Amino acid sequence: MAYDSNDHHKNYINAEKGIWSWMTTLDHKRIGVMYLFATMFFFAVGGIFAMLVRLELFKPGPFFSPDTYNKFFTLHGAIMVFMFIIPIIPAALGNFFLPIQIGAKDVAFPRLNLLSWYIFVTGSLLLVFSIVSGGVDTGWTFYTPYSIRTATSVILATLGVFVLGFSGILTGLNFVTTIHKLRAPGMTFHRMPLFLWAIYATAIIQVLATPVIGITTALLVMERVLHIGFFDPKLGGDPVLFQHFFWFYSHPAVYIMILPGMGIVSEVITAFSKKHIFGYHAVAYSSLAIAGISFIVWGHHMFVSSQSPLANFLFSLLTMLVAIPTAIKVFNWTATMYKGSISLKTPMLYALSFLFLFTIGGLTGLFLAAISVDVHLHDTYFIVAHFHYVMMGGTVMGLLAGLHYWWPKMFGRMYPEKWGKLSCALTFIGFNLTFFTQFWLGKMGMPRRYHDYLPEYTPLNIASTVGSWFIGAGMLIMFIYFIWSLFKGKRASENPWGGKTLEWTIESPPTTHNFHKEPVITTGPYEYGELKTTGEA
C-alpha cells in the first residue's frame, strides 16, 4: 500500500476543487458524503409526507381526499425505506469509516463504489419521477392484486426500487471484499470495531436478499405490461406468492436497517462510558446470528394469510429466536455502562434514546410473534407503532448518534452542544408522544392506512399529531445547526471524544489517503486503560 507524501497537508475536502471533482471522485469519503447529503434530503422529503399524513389524521373528517392521502403515506413509506433508511448508514457512514477503521486508504473497488452511487441516483430519480407523474397509492409494500390494477405510477416506482437494489448489492460486495482483503497488518477480525461487524453482517444480507426484491418487482412489472399471471388470480396467479417474495427480502431488510444502527451504538456507548465493551465477542457474533435468523422468519407477516397451522407455529417460534442475539446486545451495552465514566454528550443521549426506544420496539415484536396476539392486532395502529419504535426509535436514533459522534471527524467542525441536546430532547419527547399513543390506538382497534376514523379515537390522534410537530421541530433545529457548523463551528481536534478506534488517530477531516503511514494494529479497539484526549470532551 503506497502513500503520497505530497498529500500530507490536504484533506479530502480541499484536495480537489469543483463540482466535477466530486462527480468523478473515487475517494470513499467523498462518496460517503454525497450519500449522506442525498439520503438526508430524502429523509426531509419523507418527513414532510409523514407530517401531511398526521395532519389528515389530526381529527375525523377529510382534510385531503382519500386518494391524495393514500399517495402521501405510500410516498412517505417508499421514500423513507428505499431512499433513506436502508442506504444511509451503510452507504454514507459505512463508506466513510469502514476503510479508515480497518487501516485502509479506500474500499476494494473504488470505481464500483462510484458506480453504486450513480445507480442509487438513477433509482431515486425514477422513484421521484413516479411522484410527479401521478404518484403511487399502494403503500410501500406494493401488495398485489391492487398494485397490478391501480392506475397510478406503480411501474416507475417499482423500477426505481429495482435499480436501487443494484446499488445496495454492489455496495455490499465492495464492503465484504474490503474487510476480507484490505485490513491493515495486525487488524484481525477480533480487533475490528463492532461497527464493522455490524456493517459486515449487513453487507451479507444486502448481497443475498436484495436480488429477491429485484426479481419480485420485475415480475410485477411483467404482469402489468405483458399480462403474464404471477400474482393476479384473474390471470391464474397467487397474491400470497407476492407476499412470500416481498417479505423474504423485506424482513432481512429490517436488519439491513437496524444492524448498522446497533454497530454505531456499540461505538458510542464505549466512547462515552470510557470502558471496554462488555462481551465483545458476544456482541460481534450476535450481529451474524441476527443476519442468519433474519432469513427464516418472513412468514410471521402472513399469520392471517391462510398459512398452515404448522407453518404459523414454526414461524412464531423462529421469530422469538431472533430476540436472543438482540437481547445479548442490549445486555452488553447496559453492562458496559455499569461503573463507566459516562459523559452525556449529544451522541450518548441519542444512543441512550436508541436503547430505550429499541427495547420497546423489540419487546412489542415478541408480542406480535405470538399468533394469538398477532391475529387481533394485525393491520391495526399497534403495528405502525411497533414498526416505528424499531425503525425510527432504533435505526434513526442510532444514525443520529453516529452522525453527531463522527461529524467532527467528517467535516473538522464542532456543532453547538446545547442545541444538539435540545434537538435530541424534542425528538425523544415528540417520538413517544407520536407513537406510544398509537400502541393504544391499535389496542382499541383502530385500523392502519385509513384516512378517517371514528370519533372515539380523536384525543389520541390529536396527541399523536402534536408529537409529530415536536419531532419536526427537533429535526429542523438539527439541520440548521449542522449547516451552521460547516461554516461557523469551532474547529475540531483529532480526537474530541477520546475515542480509541483508528479514525480518531488521524486528522479532522482526514487526508485523501487517510493515513500518512500504514498503521500496524497491536491492540483491540476499546483499550480505554490508555485513554488520551486532545480536545473538547
Side-chain angles (χ1 to χ4, degrees), residues 38 61 63 102 150 152 158 201 209 212 276 286 317-318 329 332 341 346 362 390 418 429 431 450-451 479 498 500:
F63 194 84
I102 61 170
T150 177
T152 54
T158 51
V212 178
H276 190 287
S286 63
L317 200 63
L318 292 169
K329 286 182 180 292
N332 284 289
S341 179
T346 305
V390 174
K418 65 178 181 181
I429 294 168
F431 177 84
Y450 283 31
H451 85 292
F479 278 114
K500 303 300 286 187

Side-chain angles (χ1 to χ4, degrees), residues 123-292:
S124 298
L125 288 176
L126 281 170
L127 206 51
V128 168
F129 189 65
S130 74
I131 298 173
V132 297
S133 62
V136 188
D137 63 353
T138 61
W140 73 275
T141 55
F142 303 108
Y143 270 177
T144 55
Y146 183 66
S147 57
I148 298 167
R149 297 168 184 169
T150 177
T152 54
S153 301
V154 169
I155 293 178
L156 269 178
T158 51
L159 277 177
V161 172
F162 181 82
V163 174
L164 285 168
F166 279 99
S167 175
I169 293 169
L170 295 180
T171 299
L173 277 172
N174 219 340
F175 286 177
V176 169
T177 310
T178 302
I179 287 175
H180 276 277
K181 305 302 287 186
L182 295 187
R183 282 176 284 125
M187 178 62 82
T188 63
F189 261 75
H190 288 162
R191 286 178 177 165
M192 286 199 314
L194 290 166
F195 176 64
L196 298 189
W197 277 91
I199 290 290
Y200 182 72
T202 303
I204 291 171
I205 303 175
Q206 284 179 299
V207 172
L208 296 181
T210 308
V212 178
I213 190 69
I215 293 167
T216 309
T217 54
L219 292 177
L220 180 59
V221 171
M222 288 170 67
E223 184 149 12
R224 281 185 64 106
V225 176
L226 304 176
H227 305 291
I228 302 172
F230 297 109
F231 310 120
D232 190 344
K234 284 186 176 178
L235 299 173
D238 182 354
V240 178
L241 178 64
F242 177 88
Q243 292 194 37
H244 278 287
F245 284 169
F246 181 84
W247 288 114
F248 185 83
Y249 161 76
S250 293
H251 199 82
V254 168
Y255 298 100
I256 293 175
M257 304 177 215
I258 192 65
L259 273 171
M262 291 174 164
I264 289 172
V265 169
S266 296
E267 300 299 317
V268 172
I269 284 182
T270 51
F272 289 89
S273 299
K274 299 293 183 284
K275 269 186 68 185
H276 190 287
I277 193 156
F278 185 88
Y280 170 90
H281 293 89
V283 177
Y285 285 104
S286 63
S287 293
L288 296 180
I290 290 172

Side-chain angles (χ1 to χ4, degrees), residues 294-318:
S294 72
F295 283 98
I296 52 176
V297 297
W298 81 92
H300 70 229
H301 293 277
M302 289 171 285
F303 283 154
V304 295
S305 301
S306 70
Q307 279 184 150
S308 72
L310 176 62
N312 279 348
F313 169 73
L314 291 175
F315 279 120
S316 174
L317 200 63
L318 292 169

Side-chain angles (χ1 to χ4, degrees), residues 254-520:
V254 168
Y255 298 100
I256 293 175
M257 304 177 215
I258 192 65
L259 273 171
M262 291 174 164
I264 289 172
V265 169
S266 296
E267 300 299 317
V268 172
I269 284 182
T270 51
F272 289 89
S273 299
K274 299 293 183 284
K275 269 186 68 185
H276 190 287
I277 193 156
F278 185 88
Y280 170 90
H281 293 89
V283 177
Y285 285 104
S286 63
S287 293
L288 296 180
I290 290 172
I293 296 171
S294 72
F295 283 98
I296 52 176
V297 297
W298 81 92
H300 70 229
H301 293 277
M302 289 171 285
F303 283 154
V304 295
S305 301
S306 70
Q307 279 184 150
S308 72
L310 176 62
N312 279 348
F313 169 73
L314 291 175
F315 279 120
S316 174
L317 200 63
L318 292 169
T319 302
M320 291 181 185
L321 190 64
V322 80
I324 295 174
T326 306
I328 287 172
K329 286 182 180 292
V330 172
F331 174 80
N332 284 289
W333 292 328
T334 308
T336 301
M337 288 186 285
Y338 178 65
K339 291 189 175 180
S341 179
I342 295 174
S343 172
L344 294 177
K345 297 287 187 180
T346 305
M348 186 61 167
L349 292 178
Y350 275 112
L352 293 174
S353 299
F354 171 100
L355 202 55
F356 180 77
L357 301 175
F358 176 75
T359 300
I360 294 175
L363 286 174
T364 51
L366 280 180
F367 300 169
L368 297 170
I371 301 169
S372 56
V373 178
D374 184 86
V375 167
H376 289 284
L377 295 175
H378 193 83
D379 271 341
T380 71
Y381 259 83
F382 193 95
I383 307 295
V384 179
H386 158 70
F387 182 80
H388 283 84
Y389 265 84
V390 174
M391 291 295 95
M392 184 169 182
T395 304
V396 175
M397 291 296 178
L399 162 70
L400 296 180
L403 200 53
H404 286 83
Y405 179 56
W406 281 314
W407 187 267
K409 180 58 60 182
M410 295 176 79
F411 301 105
R413 299 280 184 170
M414 302 299 292
Y415 50 83
E417 185 65 28
K418 65 178 181 181
W419 287 104
K421 290 179 176 176
L422 176 64
S423 171
C424 181
L426 285 171
T427 305
F428 181 81
I429 294 168
F431 177 84
N432 283 291
L433 192 56
T434 303
F435 294 107
F436 199 82
T437 51
Q438 294 182 8
F439 279 129
W440 225 255
L441 285 167
K443 176 181 166 296
M444 293 167 66
M446 179 171 167
R448 59 176 171 165
R449 300 194 181 108
Y450 283 31
H451 85 292
D452 203 357
Y453 52 83
L454 298 173
E456 53 263 41
Y457 300 133
T458 304
L460 288 174
N461 269 296
I462 290 175
S464 184
T465 300
V466 171
S468 71
W469 298 341
F470 276 82
I471 298 173
M475 292 295 100
L476 182 62
I477 290 171
M478 183 191 72
F479 278 114
I480 291 171
Y481 69 67
F482 270 150
I483 293 171
W484 177 88
S485 78
L486 290 176
F487 302 98
K488 301 288 186 180
K490 180 182 173 184
R491 290 195 179 279
S493 63
E494 286 183 1
N495 192 2
W497 312 125
K500 303 300 286 187
T501 41
L502 277 179
E503 73 270 26
W504 301 113
T505 65
I506 61 177
E507 292 93 330
S508 302
T511 60
T512 304
H513 294 302
N514 302 337
F515 302 95
H516 298 314
K517 294 181 179 178
E518 188 176 34
V520 177

Side-chain angles (χ1 to χ4, degrees), residues 12 25-35 91-101 104-107 110 113 175 510-514:
Y12 78 96
T25 185
L26 299 182
D27 188 330
H28 66 99
K29 299 179 290 297
R30 283 190 163 202
I31 293 172
V33 168
M34 290 193 293
Y35 270 117
L93 298 181
N95 242 318
F96 199 104
F97 288 104
L98 185 151
I100 298 175
Q101 287 194 327
K105 65 177 182 179
D106 210 320
V107 293
N113 202 19
F175 286 177
T511 60
T512 304
H513 294 302
N514 302 337

